[in-house]
Amino acid sequence: MASASSTTLTNVMLAILEKKTNSLDLYRPLRNFIAINYSEREAQNLEDDLETLKQLRSDVERGAGSDSLSARRDLLQNYYKALCAVESRFPISPDKDHVNTVSFTWFDAFKNRQKASQQNVHLEKAAVLFNLGAVHSQMGLSFDRSAVEGRRQASHSFIAAAGAFAFLRDNVAMKASVGSSITLDISVECVGMLERLMLAQAQECVYENTIAKGSSAGVCAKISRQTGLFYEEAFAPLAVAPLNQHLDKGWIAHVQLKAALFYAEACYRYSLELHDKEEIAEEIARLKSGVNALSEAKKTAPRGASQQLLDAINKLEISMNHNLERAMKENDRVYLMRVPPASSLSPLPAFAMVKPMPMGEVLDASRERMFASLVPDSSAKALSRYTEMLDDITRTQAEKLQQGSELARVRLKEMDLPDSILALEGNFTLPTALKEEVEAVQICGGPAGLEAELQQLIDLRRVNHEMLVQIEEQLQKEATEDSQFRNQFGSRWTRPQSSSLTKNLQDRLNRFTANLKQAAESDTRIERSVRENAALLSILDCRPIESALPTLARPIMSLDANEDAVVGALKQNLRQLEILGSHRAGLEDMLKEMKRKDDILPKLMTFTGSQEDLFRKELSKYDSICQEIAENLDSQEHLLTEIQAQNDEFAAIFNLEDYKASRENGYRQIEAAIAKFREIKDNINEGLKFYVTLQETPLNMDAITIVKQQCSDFVMTRNIQCCEMLEDVQKQMSGLSFQDGKNTASYSFASAGQPHQTQRINSQQQQDPGYMPHSSQPPVSTYQPPQQPTMPVYSQTPPYRSQQQPTPPYHAPVSSSYQPPQQQQPPASHEYGQPAYPGWRGQYYNAPPQQAGSIPRPPYTITPPYPPSNQSDYHRQ
């Protein structure tokens, strides 16, 4: 099977040359007009704008060879905007009171000897737009279309060219041709043809990229067929007068052959798909149709087409004939199917990948500041009065349209339409607000999601409980060890008992335990609420939710069997009412668009008759739309009357009142389920916040993790003390002499809040505050809780005594903690271990009572993270 693409050799496209013009001085005539009609001062103020306009016109006159294509494009766009500013402020016409010394002359782009001259800015605007489209077409031809990116850029440029020609056709061409002769190249017929041609070339670039990407034969056939359609639309005006005598024969032959080529290409690609489906008969018919189209085009097309295009046509014709011969042999030998005639074939499917680029925004001159200050007073006042009259018309008609739409909506709502019809067909939907609430519940997991959150709640409670148990075990272990040593050494073991140091810790642990117990009771109530309301909540699991609502059923028995007729007539009238509503919306948009485009300032500046006559003439164009609005409202009133009668009959047949009651009951059940779901979810969220806050909140000094750390620090400190005291007690019991000043040590502990002189600090301690004697434990920094340290008494006041800086936690100076034995005789007035170790006190035990509110209250009662129990169902007893 031949599969080579013919279009790989058809990369021959057309570009348009720019129109040429004669030199023209706009500066002097416009300046004179400003000086005469306004003032010399105003003319001086607008010198810059006049110079800019003069320079733009001069650059346009130089032609295309002087600048790059992109710079030329920008120049033409800027000049067009400047012309829009000129048009609205300078009346250029032969009238003696207007700018009558300016005449624009432009030559035909296809017949250079033909020219047109007008004292009218519309010819200048039309020529500039034509040249803009021509520049875009040249840019499309300048790209390397042998590569994918080059073809994409070329397609974009051809689309822009089509947009420029479409804008010229729709907005300027008719104005330029009214009352004056113009060249044929800017006529409506010619620019319409050029728009189609540019679209065809843009679609052709897309087709070539589609082939390069290896798309399926069906897709290629659709894009190719649309390319052919664009070429056919471009060829239609070229085949008749006056364009068939105006353009070069090579152009006409090119477009005609391209139209035939892409039609045949579509047949060829479509036949490949038919062959794969073994639809041999239609494949033969399609191939014959494509071959005939190529043959006919070659016979009728004028001479002048490029040889490259002719080669592509011949190559495609050979491929199609080869496939046709093979298909006919297969049909004669295997399929034996009757080949349908070409006239019976359905049109080939087509798919447009391009459309003209909207140029309204690119060429919008509403923000153009050139000559912005130049508006005649009389014209401004007249324009303001006309605008008021127009606003009154549009406001009145818009109010009528809105009142009509609102009346229809209210009347239908009273009749419960179209909801009752939709319910009968099974397409009923919930009210928007209720449906959004249900969707919100289903998005966050629905009733099934509550189980997972409950499990998370239980897991958090277990983790908090386990942490409390670990803290209790630590404290109990330390107390047991202390008790064992106290029993072993008796009075020599002078450390305070653990119970006297951990009272505050135990109180806080008891509060945590009580809070967790109360939280567990709240969790139990939540679990019970989920179980008790499972049946109610199950309605939220219905998908779609409308399946949980009652349906409107046909009557079981019918006397005259006219239900279908009643329903059909009612639906027909509802459709008609909807059409009227859409028509009203279109009328309102049309009214707004007419008002937006209604710019009579140029007419006011050039009109010499009565302004009232001009206003009546301009406002009369709104009479037709006002009449349409009135007819629409009358038709709606009659239609609503018919619908009311039909709906009464419909309600009687289908017992609509009972259905409404059951439906409202369903609504209430869904609303109750949503309320209960939110109540339970809020309680669960409160519980989760409570457990997370209780467990680990950096700013909460009463969080369990903080208390656990404090307990660990306390146990570590007690262990260090235990090791040091154990070592000294063992030395004492082994009979070591405590009278030798070099080898003895004495422990002197200042009573809480009563520092006294300590004579056990030697030079090593003074030089190294972190000194620690050898013991059986590894060197560990002595823990000192963050409070005012107990300072030793020196023979003279230490230099840092007056700073009164609090000691940072866990890094207190050695002088404020327990001092190991030193090479110094202790005072005779102190015995070992007296008084009993009151200095080891921290902020977490035997500390001043905390202020109310600084510790967690019972579960879920602390205000910031958890509302009090009397404000939430989570603690309701």
Side-chain angles (χ1 to χ4, degrees), residues 438 441-442 445-449 534 536-545 547-548:
V438 173
V441 169
Q442 292 177 344
L536 174 63
L537 296 174
S538 63
I539 194 173
L540 299 177
D541 283 327
C542 296
R543 294 176 186 267
I545 188 62
S547 61

Side-chain angles (χ1 to χ4, degrees), residues 509-633:
L509 292 177
N510 291 338
R511 286 195 296 273
F512 281 132
T513 302
N515 288 349
L516 286 178
K517 181 179 179 181
Q518 187 175 347
E521 295 174 357
S522 299
D523 297 344
T524 302
R525 287 195 295 274
I526 295 176
E527 295 177 15
R528 183 168 61 252
S529 179
V530 172
R531 290 193 303 270
E532 292 174 351
N533 294 281
L536 174 63
L537 296 174
S538 63
I539 194 173
L540 299 177
D541 283 327
C542 296
R543 294 176 186 267
I545 188 62
E546 288 80 7
S547 61
L549 295 174
T551 58
L552 180 62
R554 294 178 177 271
I556 299 176
M557 297 182 62
S558 177
L559 298 178
D560 50 7
N562 67 338
E563 298 91 349
D564 292 339
V566 172
V567 173
L570 185 56
K571 290 169 64 176
Q572 178 64 29
N573 281 339
L574 287 174
R575 282 194 293 269
Q576 188 64 30
L577 187 65
E578 184 178 358
I579 292 173
L580 289 177
S582 300
H583 187 213
R584 280 197 304 278
L587 289 175
E588 186 173 2
D589 292 339
M590 185 186 304
L591 190 63
K592 293 178 180 178
E593 185 66 15
M594 289 179 65
K595 179 183 176 183
R596 186 183 69 83
K597 292 183 177 180
D598 194 358
D599 181 14
I600 68 166
L601 181 58
K603 296 180 181 180
L604 286 171
M605 297 176 68
T606 58
F607 192 72
T608 57
S610 170
Q611 291 183 349
E612 294 298 327
D613 294 340
L614 177 62
F615 291 165
R616 281 194 295 270
K617 180 181 177 181
E618 290 297 318
L619 293 176
S620 64
K621 60 178 174 281
Y622 294 92
D623 292 343
S624 59
I625 191 171
C626 293
Q627 181 64 29
E628 285 188 59
I629 292 173
E631 293 175 355
N632 181 283
L633 296 176

Side-chain angles (χ1 to χ4, degrees), residues 55 96 197 208 274-275 391 491 497 543 676 805:
Q55 185 62 44
K96 64 178 182 179
L197 177 60
E208 291 175 356
L274 293 173
H275 187 82
D391 287 343
S491 59
Q497 293 186 5
R543 294 176 186 267
K676 180 55 68 175
Q805 296 180 353

Side-chain angles (χ1 to χ4, degrees), residues 249 395 461 471 650:
K249 299 299 182 182
R395 180 171 56 253
R461 186 177 70 221
I471 295 172
F650 174 80

Side-chain angles (χ1 to χ4, degrees), residues 411 414-415 639-649:
R411 293 281 294 276
E414 292 173 351
M415 292 183 283
L639 196 58
L640 285 174
T641 303
E642 293 182 15
I643 290 174
Q644 180 67 61
Q646 293 169 346
N647 187 65
D648 292 342
E649 186 177 0

Side-chain angles (χ1 to χ4, degrees), residues 278-444:
E278 298 185 356
E279 297 179 9
I280 301 300
E282 186 178 353
E283 177 189 1
I284 295 172
R286 295 291 183 185
L287 289 171
K288 286 183 177 179
S289 178
V291 171
N292 292 337
L294 291 177
S295 301
E296 184 67 20
K298 289 194 294 184
K299 291 178 183 178
T300 60
R303 297 180 180 275
S306 68
Q307 186 60 42
Q308 191 175 355
L309 177 57
L310 295 175
D311 292 342
I313 291 176
N314 293 332
K315 179 181 177 181
L316 177 60
E317 190 173 13
I318 293 172
S319 298
M320 295 183 73
N321 283 325
H322 173 78
N323 286 4
L324 177 61
E325 181 181 354
R326 181 209 57 204
M328 294 178 65
K329 288 181 180 179
E330 292 180 358
N331 189 46
D332 293 340
R333 295 176 182 177
V334 180
Y335 298 101
L336 304 177
M337 299 175 66
R338 185 178 68 84
V339 178
S343 59
S344 65
L345 296 176
S346 60
L348 287 171
F351 187 74
M353 299 292 291
V354 297
K355 61 181 180 179
M357 178 185 294
M359 302 297 289
E361 183 176 353
V362 176
L363 301 175
D364 182 17
S366 61
R367 288 178 287 184
E368 182 66 39
R369 303 306 303 167
M370 184 175 289
F371 305 116
S373 62
L374 198 63
V375 177
D377 291 340
S378 59
S379 298
K381 292 177 181 179
L383 179 62
S384 176
R385 185 165 178 271
Y386 176 81
T387 302
E388 291 177 0
M389 298 169 65
L390 180 57
D391 287 343
D392 183 63
I393 293 176
T394 54
R395 180 171 56 253
T396 301
Q397 298 302 318
E399 289 176 356
K400 289 181 179 180
L401 291 171
Q402 293 172 2
Q403 289 172 0
S405 298
E406 182 65 16
L407 175 64
R409 187 190 67 80
V410 172
R411 293 281 294 276
L412 290 178
K413 184 68 174 178
E414 292 173 351
M415 292 183 283
D416 199 30
L417 291 174
D419 292 347
S420 56
I421 297 295
L422 294 175
L424 183 62
E425 297 174 347
N427 297 325
F428 180 74
T429 59
L430 286 177
T432 303
L434 185 58
K435 188 173 181 65
E436 290 176 353
E437 291 182 355
V438 173
E439 290 175 350
V441 169
Q442 292 177 344
I443 288 174
C444 66

Side-chain angles (χ1 to χ4, degrees), residues 36-102:
I36 294 173
N37 291 275
Y38 296 92
S39 66
E40 179 62 28
R41 181 176 181 180
E42 187 71 27
Q44 293 175 359
N45 292 337
L46 293 174
E47 282 285 348
D48 290 342
D49 290 346
L50 290 169
E51 288 290 346
T52 301
L53 181 64
K54 177 182 177 181
Q55 185 62 44
L56 288 173
R57 188 40 159 92
S58 176
D59 293 341
V60 169
E61 293 169 1
R62 288 205 309 267
S66 56
D67 300 313
S68 65
L69 291 175
S70 59
R72 187 72 180 172
R73 174 200 61 198
D74 296 340
L75 168 65
L76 292 169
Q77 290 176 173
N78 292 333
Y79 183 52
Y80 180 84
K81 295 176 184 178
L83 287 176
C84 293
V86 169
E87 178 186 11
S88 62
R89 292 164 176 85
F90 299 94
I92 301 177
S93 74
D95 194 292
K96 64 178 182 179
D97 294 328
H98 295 174
V99 182
N100 54 15
T101 60
V102 173

